Amino acid sequence: MLAEVALQAQGDPRDRRVRPRRTALAGGHRRRQRVGRRALLALLRTAVDRQRLNAGQDLIGSLTVAEWLDRWLAGKHIRKSGLNRYETDIRVHLKPRIGNRRLDRLRVSHLSEMFTDIREANAQILEDNAQRRAALDELATVPGKGVGNRARHKTMKAAIDEMPPFRRVTGPTTRQHVKATLRASLNDALGQQIITFNPAAHVEIDPVRKPKALVWTDERVAKWEQTGEKPSPVMVWTPEQTGAFLDFVAEDRLYAMWHLIAFRGLRRGEACGQPWSETNLDRHSLTVTGQLVQDGWEVEASEPKTDSGFRVVALDDDTAGVLERHRKQQEADRAEWGSAWVNTGLVFTQEDGSWLHPGKVTDLFERLVAASGLPPIRLHDLRHGAATLMLAADIDIKIVSDTLGHSDTRITRDIYQSVLPHVGKSADEATAKLVPPPAQSRAGGAGPQGREGEGQGEKSPRPRRSCGRSLRSRAGNRFADAAAKVHHPGAHCP
């Protein structure tokens, strides 16, 4: 009965009456009586409040979504970058659209409307950006000489100033972040028995389609050289391309960092924040215990991204040698700077020993890639290359996952195992070998001419393939062996 009353009471707001009820009169007669909608809603709220009291919940009927989000955010004790992410989602998206709604009356339909409004705002932003871009392009064609041209230029400039500025759209990933922020806050309200239902757990929005990682094959490189377009936001170098880059930056002051990321897959912040105290070159290992993170343009020291980020990474002989040479060079720099040296104790620093800025490291990497003439990749894609090399070298997926600091081997499989087709080709060939060849082939009757050596009980030997030992001279045999195995899955290297 209570549910029926609620549905009728939430019907047409212009209808101030609801389903009539009968009341008893003197003489046993009954007559129909209309009940006002406000009175019935008050009765309904009383019943709901009674249910909340029976369940031991607080009666916080006037608490709005904005008030709860402020209270929830003030109680969070997490990394500053994560806190800023929450604050942005709340300030930019949640408060303006649903902040004035009562927390206990927030419904799935309200959230669906919010995300619909965001998509409509995206369309408007794209249109405004296109108009402003077209106006700027037209302004650039106006000559600067002549009274008429200068007047036209001034008029057009004033019109452009009146247009909305360039803005960024709220993409699928950001929308998922907004939903996750609201869901986390409402889960806490649910745990504190302030609400009885979390609508953010049930609202459906567009899924995030992560870009697929692709390898810079010869065909893709040729198309990129013609059009300048990357096939995917996430691109991975082949072993030869990685070797060519390391050769190109061999004299760079941060060569050891590029080498470490390319071979052992450290994240940018982990490499920038790696201390010498956790780097044991005698035992060929380092322990990742922290990182430098960028918040806006500020840099702060922080713990690894996840619990699995705390890990021990083994170092091959070549990488250990590269780091040893880097340490000697750093000691020489320290002696040169004298008392002005900033003793941070980190492996990779600026010239005076101070912290590296992660954003500047990314900028430097992009400039080096452009100068090398190689197809473009991101600095994080250099980490992808390290993973694919390990997988191509038949290293166990669990070891690869632990080296990269993944919380689950499924993440490693999903991201990396589909990158190099040669890794999958090795598995296909191994599977095909389990099935015996046709009987005709085993009998030596493969065709009118047969195969050389068949019929005498001998198999023709397979030609040995070149192992590509001369891939590069600086990175050592380990890189060449992995690269040779990638490009010749069935080859046997002595």
Side-chain angles (χ1 to χ4, degrees):
M1 178 61 184
L2 197 61
E4 295 178 0
V5 170
L7 289 174
Q8 295 181 32
Q10 293 176 1
D12 189 351
R14 296 171 297 180
D15 186 4
R16 308 305 297 175
R17 298 177 299 176
V18 295
R19 186 176 180 179
R21 66 181 183 183
R22 296 182 182 275
T23 57
L25 297 176
H29 298 286
R30 299 170 65 87
R31 70 183 178 90
R32 300 167 68 87
Q33 180 182 4
R34 302 278 184 181
V35 180
R37 182 172 180 270
R38 291 183 179 179
L40 194 56
L41 285 176
L43 179 65
L44 178 62
R45 285 195 296 269
T46 302
V48 173
D49 290 344
R50 188 180 297 111
Q51 289 180 352
R52 294 175 65 87
L53 285 174
N54 292 337
Q57 298 178 354
D58 296 332
L59 297 180
I60 312 180
S62 61
L63 186 65
T64 65
V65 173
E67 292 170 344
W68 168 250
L69 290 174
D70 289 339
R71 180 192 301 184
W72 174 76
L73 191 62
K76 299 298 291 184
H77 302 286
I78 58 176
R79 196 169 65 186
K80 185 179 179 181
S81 58
L83 199 63
N84 289 343
R85 176 81 237 189
Y86 283 149
E87 190 275 333
T88 300
D89 292 340
I90 292 172
R91 172 175 48 84
V92 176
H93 300 287
L94 296 176
K95 277 188 176 182
R97 291 183 168 89
I98 59 173
N100 60 345
R101 294 189 178 276
R102 272 182 48 167
L103 182 63
D104 59 342
R105 294 184 182 179
L106 190 62
R107 299 291 179 262
V108 176
S109 59
H110 300 150
L111 304 186
S112 298
E113 293 173 3
M114 177 183 70
F115 287 111
T116 299
D117 292 342
I118 291 176
R119 287 194 296 270
E120 293 175 353
N122 283 344
Q124 185 63 45
I125 290 173
L126 291 174
E127 182 179 351
D128 293 342
N129 289 347
Q131 292 178 357
R132 186 177 182 87
R133 174 57 61 191
L136 288 173
D137 292 342
E138 184 180 357
L139 180 65
T141 62
V142 178
K145 295 182 179 180
V147 177
N149 289 331
R150 286 196 295 268
R152 182 186 175 192
H153 188 280
K154 183 177 180 180
T155 302
M156 293 179 63
K157 184 67 170 58
I160 293 174
D161 292 340
E162 295 295 326
M163 292 181 177
F166 286 116
R167 293 175 293 169
R168 297 177 59 182
V169 298
T170 304
T173 302
T174 302
R175 293 199 293 269
Q176 288 287 352
H177 276 301
V178 172
K179 176 184 175 181
T181 299
L182 181 61
R183 181 173 181 174
S185 65
L186 295 183
N187 275 339
D188 285 358
L190 199 63
Q192 297 180 29
Q193 298 183 332
I194 297 176
I195 58 176
T196 59
F197 173 73
N198 186 348
H202 301 276
V203 64
E204 295 183 359
I205 61 176
D206 298 334
V208 177
R209 296 182 179 180
K210 295 184 178 180
K212 297 296 183 180
L214 299 176
V215 181
W216 275 115
T217 60
D218 294 340
E219 296 79 8
R220 289 170 181 151
V221 172
K223 185 176 180 180
W224 165 73
E225 290 175 343
Q226 294 175 357
T227 64
E229 297 179 357
K230 293 173 59 176
S232 171
V234 182
M235 298 300 298
V236 181
W237 279 334
T238 63
E240 291 93 344
Q241 292 164 345
T242 304
F245 173 76
L246 292 178
D247 283 337
F248 180 78
V249 299
E251 302 302 325
D252 185 75
R253 195 179 65 85
L254 294 179
Y255 169 77
M257 173 182 282
W258 314 132
H259 181 104
L260 183 64
I261 297 175
F263 276 89
R264 308 312 297 151
L266 266 67
R267 298 180 177 93
R268 178 187 69 173
E270 294 170 348
C272 291
Q274 179 64 29
W276 282 115
S277 60
E278 298 295 338
T279 306
N280 193 326
L281 299 182
D282 295 333
R283 296 186 178 181
H284 287 54
S285 68
L286 61 82
T287 304
V288 178
T289 59
Q291 62 177 342
L292 296 184
V293 296
Q294 184 177 337
D295 179 27
W297 195 245
E298 299 295 325
V299 180
E300 62 179 6
S302 175
E303 294 182 345
K305 185 178 180 180
T306 60
D307 291 340
S308 56
F310 291 91
R311 64 194 188 278
V312 177
V313 178
L315 303 176
D316 58 276
D317 293 340
D318 189 45
T319 302
V322 168
L323 290 175
E324 180 62 36
R325 291 190 293 273
H326 175 76
R327 178 160 59 182
K328 292 179 180 179
Q329 181 59 47
Q330 190 181 80
E331 292 174 353
D333 294 340
R334 180 173 184 171
E336 182 178 353
W337 280 83
S339 60
W341 176 264
V342 181
N343 189 17
T344 58
L346 298 182
V347 176
F348 305 111
T349 65
Q350 297 190 52
E351 291 85 348
D352 63 348
S354 57
W355 284 358
L356 285 172
H357 194 292
K360 294 182 179 179
V361 171
T362 297
D363 294 340
L364 174 60
F365 178 79
E366 292 176 352
R367 292 196 301 270
L368 291 173
V369 171
S372 69
L374 292 166
I377 66 169
R378 304 171 305 162
L379 178 55
H380 196 75
D381 297 336
L382 198 60
R383 166 179 160 90
H384 294 336
T388 54
L389 281 175
M390 286 186 280
L391 291 172
D394 287 338
I395 297 178
D396 184 80
I397 189 69
K398 175 61 176 174
I399 298 177
V400 177
S401 180
D402 292 343
T403 301
L404 298 174
H406 289 162
S407 58
D408 197 317
T409 57
R410 289 175 296 182
I411 300 176
T412 311
R413 291 189 181 96
D414 293 342
I415 297 177
Y416 301 112
Q417 201 159 4
S418 62
V419 173
L420 285 181
H422 303 85
V423 179
K425 184 180 179 182
S426 299
D428 293 341
E429 291 182 351
T431 303
K433 290 179 181 178
L434 296 177
V435 181
Q440 187 178 12
S441 297
R442 293 198 301 270
Q449 297 178 349
R451 289 188 294 182
E452 181 181 356
E454 293 181 346
Q456 288 82 19
E458 298 180 359
K459 296 182 180 180
S460 58
R462 288 185 178 180
R464 293 173 64 96
R465 298 174 180 174
S466 171
C467 293
R469 291 287 187 182
S470 60
L471 176 62
R472 59 187 303 269
S473 58
R474 300 183 188 274
N477 292 335
R478 189 172 186 276
F479 187 96
D481 290 343
K485 192 161 190 177
V486 170
H487 289 276
H488 305 291
H492 171 72
C493 296

